[in-house]
Amino acid sequence: MRSRCAVLASVLLLVVHGCSCASKDWPSHRYSSQRTASQPHKSALSNPARVPTLHQLWSWHPRLIGDPDTVWYGYGAYGFSASPVVYRGKVFLAHLNGRLYALDTSGTFLWKYPPAGSPSLTSATQCNPSSPGIASTPAVAADVGDVPAVIFGAPDPASNAGDGRLWAVNANTGALIWRSPVLASRTANEQIGYDSPVIYGDRVYVGVSNHCDSPIIAGKLYGVDLETGALLGGFTTFVASAIRGGGIWSSPATTADGDVIITTGNGCVPYNGGCTSEPSPDHALSMIRLDGTSGAMIWKFQPVPWSLDDDPDWAAVPTVHAASCGTMAVAPMKDGYTHALAIGPTSPAGNPVTLALSLRRWSFPPAAIPFTGGSHGDIRYTRGAAVWKDVVFAVTGGRDVTASVTAGYRRLYALNSCASDFERVRWWLQFSGSGSPTMGAPSVTRGIVYIGTSEDTLYAIADPDIFPATGSQCDYPGVSITDCAPNGFRLTPVPAVLARVRLSGGIRTTPAIARGRVYVTTNRGFVHALAP
Amino acid sequence: MTRLPRRTLVLAAALLFRVGALGAQQPTAQPAQRPQAPPPPPERTLRQLAPGILASTTPLFATDSLPGYHVETIDLVMGPNQTAERVPLAGFVLMELRSGAADVTIDGRTTHREAESQWIVRRGARVTIKNAAEVTVIRATTLTPR
């Protein structure tokens, strides 16, 4: 009875608030609250016969209306850290210069928030691209007080020169609907940073990290009311550590039944917070499932123990992957390993750590968890995974991560989610260029993957299920075709690159795929719209 | 236990330090203002060293700067269910198991090695390695008298 009511309630919520799960738009970070980065609807972008003609339709940058394209963050200049979102004919862009922009889908500027003449939403603290302005991707809610609203996290210059809040503005006009209470205290070195809010029903969740771990603070996950921005009653704010550590640098995802999946950053150690022993509790470096109503922890998967914490923040967004073998939460970790856990039960059942270990479906490369050794540092595998059918597309370290920890920077992996470890690698593709990592975050539409690089290029790659491969190579990089099978490895197909288009700057963001167009933001501060 | 000359042990210690530094591509534990990790190295390729075992096509590191020795570091890689009955090695070898697990037999004595285990193979020893994991990676630094 309870499950039937839950289904009915879910359907009702979707009717009331609009369904992003099968949208032709791209209304939130990585498409949906499940962060699948997967556009399921057919379009020219999913047609391998048409994709080779991919070309730019238009581009836009803030300097066209008198705002800076890039801003200084303390060590360099940067444009967009956030990805585009698209909703009902409008493209919404959050910029590190502290403005939220709305364009129409022909590239015409519509409005910005704050409007001209008002101070931008910037922080007096500068340390990396997460700090100066709006670093995270907004989310669109279909109905907040009878209007669609854009929800985003940003510093408030009027509050302690940059305390972090959530903001809701009218998607049609750019008028402010509400501001949340302060969620990230600049005095305490907290910020919302890269964390994109996630919407489920009438709830919004957002995580809090810090400015450059100097010092590190205890990560937090807040829940606020979608209609008012007030803190949710009954939801206990999740705090990741008794002292410091476990900042939420990624973005929360939600399960189909409204629980929240988060990943947390590194813990408090001597050099970042003065901890000479592990705090208790310590929920750093973990993937965690929280009850979406109460905030209670259901399970916690912590592959890297405190003793091995060399700063492998779990910075990639968790992806809720509905595969044929079950629903999993999947995320690459900074150390180059990718982990997948069955979503599991809907309520706490025993010890959260033991439960999580029992729910682990696979790690790539295969590993005994928790680790007892090895290199687990700030290796920069920070991009979230995209999923399609039973395939996970990820920028991750690969089977040779222990031999060459950075080799995966230039690779995109397709992993078979439901296969054995031996058959985990579906294919991999090597790109040219440098950067740490070279690749942005992938998106996919019906088997065609869109991914940008630090070398200013957007690629479209076809899974061999929908377009013939161009050859084969060993699943273990560096091993020749001749030596592959005799050494116990497998030959895998080399997917076809259907298109590559040079854009204005490096791409660390997620391409947004909506109604036959792909929108891409760059670190030069441009947004590009492309179509076949 | 094979007894090694004092000079070799000193060299071995120095090289272990050096090999560790080679493997430590990740930044040291510092606040986040530090530079990001370095650009990726050139793509590594592997060749068949002997049945059951692959080796780097080109050394990860090589030097003649140590008096009297040529020093070279390579990766040895073994795939699933592989055994290398006789691993051809030159000179003294410092080995570090980077990932996986292996049963390593040196002159008839077998030791199970797990990740981060390090050991020395004396010059001319007969070495058999059986992969005991999915993929095993061993970083090997050879010291060959010049």
Side-chain angles (χ1 to χ4, degrees), chain A residues 125-431:
Chain A
T125 302
Q126 296 178 333
C127 72
N128 67 24
S130 69
S131 295
I134 314 176
S136 61
T137 307
V140 179
D143 183 1
V144 177
D146 296 331
V147 295
V150 187
I151 317 287
F152 61 99
D156 182 355
S159 176
N160 197 25
D163 287 339
R165 303 177 187 272
L166 281 177
W167 311 68
V169 300
N170 184 319
N172 295 326
T173 65
L176 180 67
I177 300 173
W178 53 251
R179 291 183 314 169
S180 77
V182 168
L183 304 177
S185 160
R186 184 170 163 268
T187 304
N189 199 41
E190 295 174 333
Q191 66 164 348
I192 291 177
Y194 297 128
D195 192 283
S196 294
V198 68
I199 300 169
Y200 183 88
D202 57 359
R203 298 161 181 267
V204 185
Y205 303 95
V206 70
V208 169
S209 59
N210 62 79
H211 294 284
C212 284
D213 287 0
S214 185
I216 199 168
I217 56 91
K220 298 181 180 73
L221 184 85
Y222 288 96
V224 306
D225 186 297
L226 178 63
E227 290 292 325
T228 65
L231 290 177
L232 281 176
F235 183 85
T236 302
T237 299
F238 172 78
V239 182
S241 171
I243 306 172
R244 297 172 180 276
I248 303 177
W249 293 92
S250 60
S251 302
T254 63
T255 63
D257 53 6
D259 284 345
V260 184
I261 309 286
I262 56 171
T263 50
T264 60
N266 60 320
C268 181
V269 294
Y271 66 81
N272 65 19
C275 296
T276 54
S277 60
E278 183 177 16
S280 179
D282 174 26
H283 304 315
L285 300 178
S286 300
M287 184 191 291
I288 296 167
R289 180 176 183 175
L290 301 171
D291 183 303
T293 304
S294 69
M297 187 189 305
I298 296 173
W299 51 250
K300 176 179 83 168
F301 180 68
Q302 192 175 40
V304 178
W306 185 83
S307 59
L308 297 177
D309 181 352
D310 285 332
D311 195 10
D313 290 320
W314 211 331
V317 180
T319 302
V320 177
H321 176 28
S324 65
C325 56
T327 301
M328 290 170 248
V330 182
M333 200 169 178
K334 253 188 186 175
D335 61 1
Y337 288 83
T338 294
H339 304 283
L341 275 80
I343 288 293
T346 57
S347 60
N351 182 306
V353 174
T354 308
L355 176 59
L357 287 172
S358 74
L359 294 172
R360 182 169 71 119
R361 295 294 296 271
W362 50 265
S363 296
F364 177 75
I369 301 294
F371 291 106
T372 56
S375 172
H376 303 284
D378 181 6
I379 314 297
R380 317 301 300 178
Y381 291 102
T382 59
R383 313 302 192 224
V387 294
W388 167 71
K389 294 186 175 176
D390 288 345
V391 187
V392 173
F393 303 99
V395 178
T396 188
R399 295 174 85 177
D400 55 343
V401 70
T402 58
S404 180
V405 292
T406 60
Y409 283 2
R410 291 182 289 176
R411 292 191 203 130
L412 174 66
Y413 276 92
L415 304 173
N416 292 313
S417 207
C418 296
S420 66
D421 285 342
F422 180 68
E423 295 181 316
R424 184 74 59 218
V425 177
R426 179 178 180 85
W427 52 259
W428 59 275
L429 191 62
Q430 179 90 11
F431 295 79

Side-chain angles (χ1 to χ4, degrees), chain A residues 92-150:
Chain A
F92 301 101
L93 305 158
H95 196 286
L96 288 182
N97 67 18
R99 306 278 179 184
L100 176 75
Y101 298 102
L103 314 178
D104 69 20
T105 51
S106 62
T108 302
F109 169 75
L110 298 174
W111 53 258
K112 66 179 177 181
Y113 184 85
S118 299
S120 57
L121 302 179
T122 53
S123 170
T125 302
Q126 296 178 333
C127 72
N128 67 24
S130 69
S131 295
I134 314 176
S136 61
T137 307
V140 179
D143 183 1
V144 177
D146 296 331
V147 295
V150 187

Side-chain angles (χ1 to χ4, degrees), chain A residues 503-520:
Chain A
L503 301 178
S504 64
I507 303 158
R508 61 182 287 173
T509 54
T510 302
I513 300 168
R515 300 180 189 275
R517 293 182 176 187
V518 58
Y519 301 87
V520 182

Side-chain angles (χ1 to χ4, degrees), chain B residues 2 8 15 38-39 44 53 66 69 78 86 89-90 104 111 122:
Chain B
T2 306
T8 304
L15 280 159
R44 186 188 55 150
I53 193 164
L66 283 178
Y69 284 88
M78 301 182 72
R86 180 142 200 175
L89 299 166
V104 181
T111 308
R122 70 167 179 79

